[in-house]
Each structure stands twice: as structure tokens, then as C-alpha cells.
Amino acid sequence: MRLGTGRAPPGARTRPREQRPGPGNGHARNLFEATAAYVSAGVDDDRDRMDEAADRVSPEALSFGVNELACRAVIALARERDESPRDVVRALLGLPAA
């Protein structure tokens, strides 16, 4: 949460600029490279590659990357199928339509 002044509220956790994903920062690229390696290794059921990829970034960063990938994949599938993202997610998880 940010205040109208553009400053974080007292006591809020913020990451140093060099750790924030974004343009002009190699961190975002490394984060997404680690995420791609981690997820593709998981699909291949290769635990060694998953561990290697997970060691490249913090657990929080990897979680963010996996979430970002999931969101992008759902959006792409929803557009491709001409369905809502909610319907796509429920189908992928084997849940009944809502």
C-alpha cells in the first residue's frame, strides 16, 4: 500500500530498487528465466533441474514468477478458447463449471 505522497507507509516492507523486477533491471529477466527453468523442469518431473532453478532466486521471487506465468497462460488460453479466465482455470483444475 502506498500513500498519496508516493511513499510506503511506516513499517511497510519494501525491496531495494535493484531487487524489484522492472525495465532496465536484469533481475526481472533472471527471475523469469529461473521461473521458466523451474516450471519446465517440473513438467519433465526433473527434480534436480527444479532445485537448480529454485536456487537462482529467492522463494518469494520464484513464487511471484510462477504466479505471473500462470496468469499469463490462463489469459492466453482464455483468448484462444474464447472463454473467461475463470472458466479456463476451473477446467484446468478439473473443477465443475461455476
Side-chain angles (χ1 to χ4, degrees), residues 65-89:
V66 171
N67 183 64
E68 183 68 20
L69 175 61
C71 289
R72 292 180 187 194
V74 167
I75 290 168
L77 279 173
R79 288 178 180 158
E80 184 178 295
R81 297 177 179 184
D82 197 27
E83 296 178 8
S84 73
R86 181 179 184 195
D87 290 344
V88 170
V89 168

